[in-house]
Amino acid sequence: MRTNPHILEINIRTWLNHLRGKYGAEISLVSIPEHEWLAFKRLGFDAVWLMGVWTPSPAAREIARQHEPILENIRKISPDFKVEDVDASPYAVYDYRLNPALGKPDELSLLHGKLNGMGLKLILDFVSNHLARDHAFLSECPECFIRGTDDDAAHNPGFFFKGPDGKTWFAHGRDPNFAPWTDTVQLNYFSDRARAHMLRTLLEVAQVCDGVRCDMAMLTLNDIHRETWGWLLNRQGFTEKGEFWQEAISRVREEHPLFTFLAEVYWGLEWHIQQLGFNYTYDKVLYDRLRGTNAQDVKGHLYAESLYQKRSLRFIDNHDEEAALVAFGREKSVAAAIVMSTLRGMRLFNHGQILGSSKRAPVQYLRGDYQGDPEIRLRYERLLDVADDSAFHGGEWSLVELGPAAKDDSSFREILSWSWTQMRTIKYVLVNYSGGYARARLPVKPGPRGAEYTFYDEISDRFFTRPVDEVRNQGLYIELPPYGAHLLDLEF
């Protein structure tokens, strides 16, 4: 993939159901019309992340269909939903083979080749922390999972369930800060057999895609695994091994040197995960600052080390978060999208996001919203076209320090600004990240005296000129409405 690639997350279960309705035919992965994929390529995407391809768990399906919070969230967006449209979570993996509802077993491999032929890479999910609670491996290797006693289960309600033998207590997968995922079983990463099994699984997955998005990747780190489960593992005589991710990534790249690893990771562990070999890590800090703080806090985050920035995965929308239109509000969401689309690192977009959808159903629901807001859709099409330019992928990025437009006018601090320079082209990105008007002076690369600058604003599709001497002395005057933006193209 090119530098600063664009990746599109697609909920494949809901999209395929949508396409079946759209075309009135029983479509599977390989029979998705080619022009549907090419439409993503024309928007400038380098890769598609198909979320939900793996075989779902029957046990997890039943849990979802009886879980009132899930049903209530579905009811809010689809009051007349049918229970048969509720399925297992894609993250309670029953088998790392293609979900039969999506196509025949070999269709994933065939789709991989088809997408590569169009110039698109294929990204799939890999869940290292846990498996579905009814996974066959539970019976094959009980010691590969976290187990407890009757007392452990009694003192930690909801943390454990009885295994296939009806006697052994197994722990559910969990993030230590939240309640367990009751449709899953927790793997034991201090077990050689468990690690070997997951490495084999990862190598098999790597045969049918170009990269993996690793769910909650930090939970597999030794420190986190020990802090969460050490109280049980130490008692059972298990001891730490080397870091799983370092071993696994190295092993996969022996066979697939260009394979891409994306990590969902939080808690300030992004740099550590990058050092273990991940190409990109979630930038949740940027998301949180864009959603809830001010321009200066956002700008402060962009001073981080250059390599860290290049390996950050920027997003304002994904299947775990509220729809961007709801989380940010209409105009702010567009401003945030311009910010994330013009920074260094991987830029992740959700399918519903670029369609202008304001609805976000639980991942267990098989029906999605493909109507969206037509105006928002057009604005994303424009933004993606602009951000596809080679300057945003092969150019040099730099923060730009603005000056005040007038004495005692501090509104320039609300404008985020940076530039991309490639050969004779320079692009200035300016985003007023506030709810009020903002003015500033933009320092511009010096031009010949007596000449004129010609600027092209790629957001509004307008040209304007300014005398070089005026701009050299004062800077280019900028005035932006609330959450307004300029993306100025200047060629010398």
Side-chain angles (χ1 to χ4, degrees):
M1 285 187 280
R2 60 183 170 172
T3 305
N4 311 317
H6 292 183
I7 178 173
L8 179 67
E9 179 186 6
I10 300 172
N11 183 329
I12 190 60
R13 299 193 296 185
T14 64
W15 189 49
L16 205 55
N17 279 332
H18 165 71
L19 292 178
R20 288 164 178 162
K22 177 179 177 180
Y23 293 102
E26 190 54 41
I27 294 172
S28 67
L29 277 190
V30 293
S31 60
I32 293 173
E34 188 170 294
H35 68 265
E36 295 283 354
W37 297 114
L38 289 174
F40 300 138
K41 181 62 180 175
R42 284 194 296 272
L43 286 172
F45 286 104
D46 301 276
V48 290
W49 159 24
L50 300 188
M51 190 270 287
V53 302
W54 305 124
T55 303
S57 155
R61 179 184 301 120
E62 290 309 307
I63 289 172
R65 289 178 176 179
Q66 298 175 38
H67 195 266
E68 189 53 39
I70 292 174
L71 302 180
E72 181 58 31
N73 284 333
I74 296 172
R75 204 172 284 120
K76 289 176 182 177
I77 63 169
S78 185
D80 300 323
F81 78 93
K82 299 177 181 178
V83 72
E84 55 263 36
D85 286 331
V86 180
D87 206 338
S89 165
Y91 297 99
V93 179
Y94 184 72
D95 193 350
Y96 278 93
R97 290 181 174 82
L98 182 64
N99 181 349
L102 305 180
K104 296 178 180 178
D106 63 344
E107 291 197 30
L108 199 51
S109 180
L110 292 172
L111 178 65
H112 180 209
K114 183 177 181 178
L115 291 176
N116 282 181
M118 298 178 190
L120 287 167
K121 300 295 185 183
L122 176 61
I123 307 296
L124 301 175
D125 276 305
F126 180 71
V127 186
S128 62
N129 184 65
H130 50 262
L131 297 171
R133 62 182 290 169
D134 51 346
H135 196 286
F137 194 52
L138 191 65
S139 295
E140 295 172 21
C141 184
E143 68 270 23
C144 292
F145 299 88
I146 302 292
R147 293 166 294 168
T149 65
D150 290 343
D151 283 346
D152 295 327
H155 287 91
N156 298 277
F159 279 40
F160 297 87
F161 68 99
K162 285 282 183 69
D165 63 4
K167 299 177 182 179
T168 306
W169 288 101
F170 290 93
H172 292 297
R174 63 184 294 256
D175 170 338
N177 297 312
F178 296 95
W181 298 298
T182 57
D183 52 0
T184 70
V185 59
Q186 175 68 51
L187 283 155
N188 172 9
Y189 272 88
F190 293 175
S191 159
D192 289 328
R193 287 188 64 189
R195 291 162 67 99
H197 174 82
M198 293 307 289
L199 177 54
R200 284 194 303 272
T201 301
L202 181 56
L203 287 166
E204 290 171 4
V205 170
Q207 299 293 327
V208 295
C209 62
D210 303 291
V212 284
R213 176 264 186 191
C214 298
D215 184 72
M216 299 294 282
M218 71 285 185
L219 297 182
T220 308
L221 294 173
N222 282 341
D223 286 351
I224 304 302
H225 200 59
R226 183 181 63 253
E227 289 170 11
T228 308
W229 300 111
W231 61 285
L232 284 172
L233 294 175
N234 293 340
R235 193 173 70 200
Q236 296 167 13
F238 288 99
T239 57
E240 288 185 27
K241 317 296 177 182
E243 289 289 3
F244 172 77
W245 286 124
Q246 194 165 32
E247 175 190 0
I249 291 172
S250 175
R251 182 69 183 84
V252 169
R253 289 201 176 125
E254 289 176 8
E255 297 185 17
H256 308 280
L258 300 180
F259 200 79
T260 301
F261 282 88
L262 318 178
E264 178 191 18
V265 54
Y266 311 111
W267 311 338
L269 293 168
E270 295 85 354
W271 177 249
H272 179 49
I273 286 279
Q274 289 179 12
Q275 296 303 102
L276 294 179
F278 277 89
N279 300 84
Y280 300 98
T281 57
Y282 268 38
D283 189 359
K284 184 65 158 53
V285 173
L286 179 67
Y287 173 87
D288 289 339
R289 293 191 181 191
L290 285 171
R291 183 170 176 178
T293 55
N294 56 47
Q296 289 302 302
D297 287 335
V298 173
K299 184 177 179 181
H301 182 58
L302 302 180
Y303 282 106
E305 202 274 341
S306 179
L307 184 58
Y308 170 84
Q309 299 278 357
K310 292 177 181 178
R311 291 183 175 177
S312 290
L313 187 155
R314 321 292 192 171
F315 65 91
I316 61 167
D317 195 317
N318 62 49
H319 69 269
D320 284 319
E321 308 292 352
E322 277 190 292
L325 279 176
V326 176
F328 292 80
R330 186 184 180 84
E331 294 306 317
K332 187 176 180 180
S333 74
V334 175
I338 294 171
V339 170
M340 59 151 281
S341 304
T342 57
L343 292 175
R344 293 173 291 179
M346 176 174 274
R347 298 130 185 197
L348 168 67
F349 299 81
N350 194 349
H351 196 189
Q353 175 188 356
I354 66 170
L355 294 177
S357 175
S358 60
K359 298 178 181 179
R360 181 60 38 80
V363 293
Q364 293 87 351
Y365 190 46
L366 301 183
R367 302 290 172 183
D369 173 32
Y370 291 90
Q371 299 303 314
D373 183 320
E375 182 187 342
I376 293 295
R377 183 182 304 203
L378 288 173
R379 292 171 80 171
Y380 269 106
E381 288 178 2
R382 179 63 181 165
L383 173 59
L384 287 164
D385 181 59
V386 169
D388 191 41
D389 188 278
S390 62
F392 293 105
H393 301 274
E396 180 181 348
W397 180 91
S398 179
L399 278 170
V400 174
E401 297 294 339
L402 301 176
K407 186 178 180 180
D408 299 327
D409 185 349
S410 63
S411 64
F412 73 98
R413 301 183 188 279
E414 306 298 337
I415 301 178
L416 296 167
S417 54
W418 43 84
S419 66
W420 287 91
T421 305
Q422 185 181 50
M423 301 181 70
R424 293 178 58 84
T425 298
I426 184 166
K427 295 181 182 289
Y428 293 101
V429 179
L430 301 114
V431 181
N432 174 12
Y433 212 69
S434 77
Y437 275 81
R439 293 154 292 277
R441 292 283 180 177
L442 169 70
V444 178
K445 183 177 179 180
R449 291 188 178 277
E452 285 190 329
Y453 289 115
T454 298
F455 296 96
Y456 172 50
D457 185 353
E458 298 187 270
I459 298 294
S460 63
D461 193 24
R462 294 175 55 195
F463 287 91
F464 64 92
T465 61
R466 293 291 185 274
V468 166
D469 293 343
E470 172 191 316
V471 174
R472 179 193 294 268
N473 294 330
Q474 302 177 49
L476 179 68
Y477 177 74
I478 300 293
E479 182 171 351
L480 289 167
Y483 301 110
H486 288 316
L487 206 161
L488 304 179
D489 179 275
L490 177 64
E491 294 189 7
F492 289 90

